Amino acid sequence: MRKLQYLFMTLAVLCMASPAFAQSTGGSAPSWVPIGAGIGMGIASGLCGIGQGRVAGSAAEAIARNPGARAGIQLMLVLGLAFIESLALFTLLIVFAVVK
C-alpha cells in the first residue's frame, strides 16, 4: 500500500511540474497529442482485453454450471464481446480524429 502511495505522489509531482516548461526560449513546442493518444489507445485496448477475458471466463463458468442454458449464455457472450470490442474501435476512431 505504501509503495502505491509513493507512486501516485511521484506521478502527481511530475504532472504538476509540467507548467515549469511552459515557456520556451525559441522554436516551436513539441506536440504531446500523438503521445497522449497512443497512451490512451493502449490503456483502452488493455482494459478491453481484460474485460473480454473476464466475460469469457464467466461464460465458461456459467455453461459449466448449467449446460442446458448454453444457447442463451452463448448469445449473451457474443453480444457482450461485440460491445466491448466496439469500445476499443470507438477509441481508435477518436484517436484518428484528434491526431492528424
Side-chain angles (χ1 to χ4, degrees), residues 6-83:
Y6 286 137
L7 174 71
F8 285 132
M9 287 173 47
T10 304
L11 288 175
V13 167
L14 289 174
C15 289
M16 297 301 172
S18 63
F21 302 110
Q23 280 186 332
S24 63
T25 57
S28 63
S31 176
W32 294 96
V33 173
I35 295 171
I39 291 172
M41 184 64 203
I43 291 171
S45 297
L47 292 177
C48 284
I50 290 171
Q52 286 179 344
R54 292 190 67 176
V55 166
S58 296
E61 184 178 330
I63 290 173
R65 288 183 182 203
N66 189 1
R70 181 179 176 269
I73 294 170
Q74 192 172 12
L75 174 70
M76 291 300 134
L77 169 69
V78 171
L79 187 65
L81 290 176
F83 282 141

